[in-house]
């Protein structure tokens, strides 16, 4: 019985990832590609993905852009407000390493300098197909994680 | 014998809420997606969502919110069970209203401004739909001579022919109750960016799942109330509910969200006028 419930919960977690999109100072190139995923052409709701505005409802944190000292604490705050189990997807060259801004004086670097990242989606900007693929990887990870009640 | 059937009816009511409500919501999401030329989620998506929310870490902003989520679920399920037992319509509506108030109290108990604004708007929505629902039951009373559900099924002609204007008023209330545009001010399935999630901002994880299941119970109760208007045959009930729900989805997809002043004036003026005309017409005959 317990095993069956575990399987159902794991399947449900991999079937219903709710996204929180945070623009960490991106040039908006990646953000437009993220929004393109919601359009009828790509229609991410096929996978149960919903773009939410509330970290307390989110399962996947999608971060675009470079991290700087000003928005570092905002990013960490958003991450900490999300309930377990959760996954982080870094999108675009800037989110991965800082991109062409990596040596600027006000840039901390990639998202992984502040919070643990599960999936990296490269590209400048990342293509919508690649972003959807990255979220699907994150979904698989969410399906494998034990829910907090079993810890 | 009657005790056994009662127990069966209670169990059926308890199970029907989540089952029918979940499937109706899933179908709603697919039809909505097709209206927007998208493919849409699988039919079981609402069940995946609720199962996922139940397995998430419970984060509590205020302990009263947990109590309010449970109270909302309890009131919603009790009102549907009473409907299944063919009880008094007024009693059913009052218990449903108690549940709705608990949802608002839960939103008020958190400090988030989004929750607070959502709660304000939900109160205004209740101010709009509660009088209409009461007037609909008054119309049913004037026609059948009783507030109890079995008397509706005893009628020879469908109620829709006696209460056509009240049915339109009920559709107005249904739009608000199902959280459809143009009246999805406090919270809605789509409005994640406006007001964050309004009323539900600080309900999260398992408690959001409870609220969602409670909402399914309410959806089934409201559709049941709609079906009373063609209580003479099963096919008629199903057809009437199907048509009303499809109309709601069409309205949802063709209307923009309105502000609360517009909702208050239009729904109250339109709904109350229609209801009063119908009631006066009923008493004249």
């Amino acid at each position: 019985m317990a095993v069956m419930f575990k399987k159902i919960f794991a399947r449900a977690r991999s079937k219903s990832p709710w996204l929180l999109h945070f623009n960490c100072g991106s040039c908006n190139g990646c953000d437009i590609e993220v929004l393109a995923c919601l359009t009828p052409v790509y229609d991410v709701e096929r996978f149960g993905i919903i773009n939410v505005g509330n970290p307390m409802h989110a399962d996947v944190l999608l971060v675009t852009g470079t991290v700087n000292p000003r928005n570092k604490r905002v990013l960490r705050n958003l991450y900490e407000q999300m309930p377990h189990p959760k996954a982080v997807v870094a999108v675009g060259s800037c989110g991965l390493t800082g991109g062409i801004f990596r040596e600027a004086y006000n840039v901390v670097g990639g998202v992984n300098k502040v919070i643990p990242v599960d999936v990296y989606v490269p590209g400048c900007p990342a293509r919508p197909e690649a972003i959807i693929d990255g979220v699907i990887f994150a979904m698989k990870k969410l399906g494998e994680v034990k829910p907090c009640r079993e810890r | 014998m009657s005790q056994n059937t009662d127990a069966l009816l209670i169990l059926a009511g308890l199970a029907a809420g989540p089952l029918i409500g979940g499937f109706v919501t899933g179908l709603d999401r697919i039809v909505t997606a097709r209206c927007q030329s998208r493919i849409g989620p699988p039919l079981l998506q609402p069940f995946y969502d609720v199962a996922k929310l139940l397995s998430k870490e419970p984060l509590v902003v205020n302990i009263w919110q947990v109590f309010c989520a449970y109270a909302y679920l309890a009131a919603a399920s009790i009102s549907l069970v009473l409907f299944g037992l063919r009880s008094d319509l007024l009693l059913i509506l009052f218990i449903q209203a108690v549940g709705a108030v608990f949802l608002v109290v839960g939103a008020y108990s958190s400090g988030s401004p989004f929750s607070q604004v959502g709660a304000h708007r939900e109160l205004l929505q209740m101010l709009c739909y509660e009088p209409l629902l009461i007037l609909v039951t008054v119309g049913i009373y004037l026609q059948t001579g009783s507030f109890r559900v079995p008397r509706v099924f005893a009628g020879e002609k469908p109620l829709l022919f006696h209460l056509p204007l009240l049915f339109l008023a009920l559709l107005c209330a249904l739009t608000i109750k199902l959280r459809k545009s143009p009246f999805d001010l406090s919270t809605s399935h789509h409005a994640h960016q406006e007001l964050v999630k309004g009323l539900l901002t600080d309900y999260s994880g398992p408690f959001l799942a409870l609220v969602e299941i409670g909402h399914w119970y309410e959806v089934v109760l409201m559709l049941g109330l709609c079906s009373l208007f063609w209580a003479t045959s099963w096919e008629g009930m199903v057809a009437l509910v199907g048509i009303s729900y499809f109309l709601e989805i069409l309205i949802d997809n063709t209307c923009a969200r309105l502000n609360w002043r517009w909702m208050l004036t239009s729904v109250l003026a339109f709904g109350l006028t229609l209801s009063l005309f119908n009631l006066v017409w009923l008493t004249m005959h």
Side-chain angles (χ1 to χ4, degrees):
Chain A
M1 193 73 177
V3 176
M4 193 183 74
F5 268 112
K6 257 183 217 170
K7 271 187 184 167
I8 290 176
F9 282 144
R11 190 171 157 72
R13 269 200 303 280
S14 72
K15 284 287 221 175
S16 140
W18 290 1
L19 284 189
L20 177 71
H21 171 210
F22 181 53
N23 176 353
C24 226
S26 153
C27 69
N28 287 135
C30 290
D31 303 313
I32 287 174
E33 302 298 332
V34 169
L35 290 181
C37 299
L38 303 173
T39 59
V41 179
Y42 298 103
D43 185 26
V44 284
E45 210 193 355
R46 282 177 297 154
F47 307 106
I49 300 174
I50 293 178
N51 190 15
V52 296
N54 183 354
M56 286 175 72
H57 292 176
D59 305 298
V60 176
L61 178 61
L62 201 76
V63 192
T64 54
T66 57
V67 183
N68 60 44
R70 295 294 291 173
N71 62 26
K72 195 167 74 176
R73 58 199 168 85
V74 181
L75 179 62
R76 187 172 293 135
N77 192 2
L78 284 177
Y79 178 74
E80 281 164 2
Q81 281 185 55
M82 286 167 58
H84 280 287
K86 56 190 167 185
V88 178
V89 179
V91 174
S93 306
C94 301
L96 265 55
T97 60
I100 56 167
F101 305 109
R102 64 187 175 277
E103 281 168 5
Y105 67 94
N106 62 337
V107 166
V108 175
V111 176
N112 57 9
K113 293 271 175 67
V114 184
I115 53 175
V117 174
D118 299 280
V119 182
Y120 297 87
V121 180
C124 182
R127 293 195 58 82
E129 292 92 338
I131 297 172
I132 296 174
D133 206 32
V135 175
I136 303 255
F137 266 117
M139 280 156 71
K140 282 185 187 150
K141 191 216 158 209
L142 282 177
E144 288 157 9
V145 171
K146 283 184 178 177
C148 59
R149 285 185 187 172
E150 293 165 21
R151 274 180 201 158
Chain B
M1 180 63 199
S2 72
Q3 269 184 349
N4 276 341
T5 49
D6 275 0
L8 270 179
L9 275 175
I10 291 173
L11 277 179
L14 279 178
L19 273 180
I20 301 177
F23 276 115
V24 163
T25 316
L27 211 59
D28 178 356
R29 283 176 70 174
I30 292 177
V31 174
T32 302
R34 296 293 155 91
C35 287
Q36 301 164 354
S37 65
R38 293 187 289 116
I39 292 183
L43 183 60
L44 292 177
Q45 191 59 46
F47 296 106
Y48 291 138
D49 288 348
V50 163
K52 175 205 75 179
L53 286 172
L54 281 174
S55 74
K56 291 215 49 147
E57 176 189 20
L59 285 183
V60 179
V61 177
N62 183 336
I63 195 74
W64 284 102
Q65 211 156 25
V66 178
F67 172 71
C68 288
Y70 277 106
Y72 172 64
L73 178 64
S77 54
I78 289 171
S79 59
L80 185 66
V81 165
L82 283 178
F83 189 78
L85 290 174
R86 304 187 166 192
S87 174
D88 197 308
L89 278 174
L90 274 182
L91 180 67
I92 293 168
L93 286 183
F94 283 133
I95 291 177
Q96 172 267 333
V98 168
V101 168
F102 267 110
L103 194 61
V104 174
V105 171
Y108 268 129
S109 69
S110 96
S112 155
F114 301 113
S115 264
Q116 300 272 328
V117 176
H120 282 304
R121 291 185 180 183
E122 179 72 10
L123 280 182
L124 288 165
Q125 289 188 359
M126 288 173 68
L127 189 67
C128 287
Y129 74 73
E130 291 292 346
L132 296 186
L133 289 182
I134 298 293
L135 282 175
V136 166
T137 50
V138 169
I140 291 177
Y141 168 77
L142 284 180
Q143 180 56 35
T144 63
S146 168
F147 281 112
R148 296 180 70 84
V149 179
R151 287 293 286 272
V152 177
F153 284 92
E156 284 171 7
K157 266 173 78 181
L159 272 180
L160 187 60
F161 295 125
H162 302 291
L163 314 167
L165 299 179
L166 273 172
F167 187 70
L168 286 182
L170 179 64
L171 283 186
C172 273
L174 195 67
T175 317
I176 302 178
K177 205 62 203 156
L178 294 180
R179 306 199 186 290
K180 296 284 186 200
S181 288
F183 304 131
D184 51 350
L185 305 168
S186 64
T187 179
S188 85
H189 178 68
H190 323 288
H192 286 283
Q193 306 301 329
E194 189 214 64
L195 262 193
V196 184
K197 188 74 172 155
L199 188 68
L200 304 179
T201 300
D202 277 339
Y203 291 99
S204 67
F207 311 114
L208 186 64
L210 294 183
V211 172
E212 188 60 29
I213 296 173
H215 181 61
W216 291 351
Y217 276 113
E218 287 203 327
V219 167
V220 177
L221 175 68
M222 286 296 132
L223 294 182
L225 208 58
C226 261
S227 73
L228 287 186
F229 280 75
W230 208 290
T232 46
S233 72
W234 283 104
E235 300 87 359
M237 284 169 90
V238 173
L240 187 66
V241 166
I243 292 170
S244 329
Y245 203 91
F246 186 67
L247 261 180
E248 294 297 338
I249 295 176
L250 277 188
I251 294 170
D252 186 32
N253 278 292
T254 47
C255 290
R257 191 168 298 123
L258 299 170
N259 65 24
W260 65 266
R261 283 187 190 84
W262 215 96
M263 177 188 70
L264 209 59
T265 48
S266 63
V267 171
L268 282 185
F270 184 71
L272 287 184
T273 318
L274 284 181
S275 319
L276 287 181
F277 269 116
N278 208 151
L279 291 180
V280 169
W281 183 73
L282 268 185
T283 43
M284 302 275 271
H285 283 68

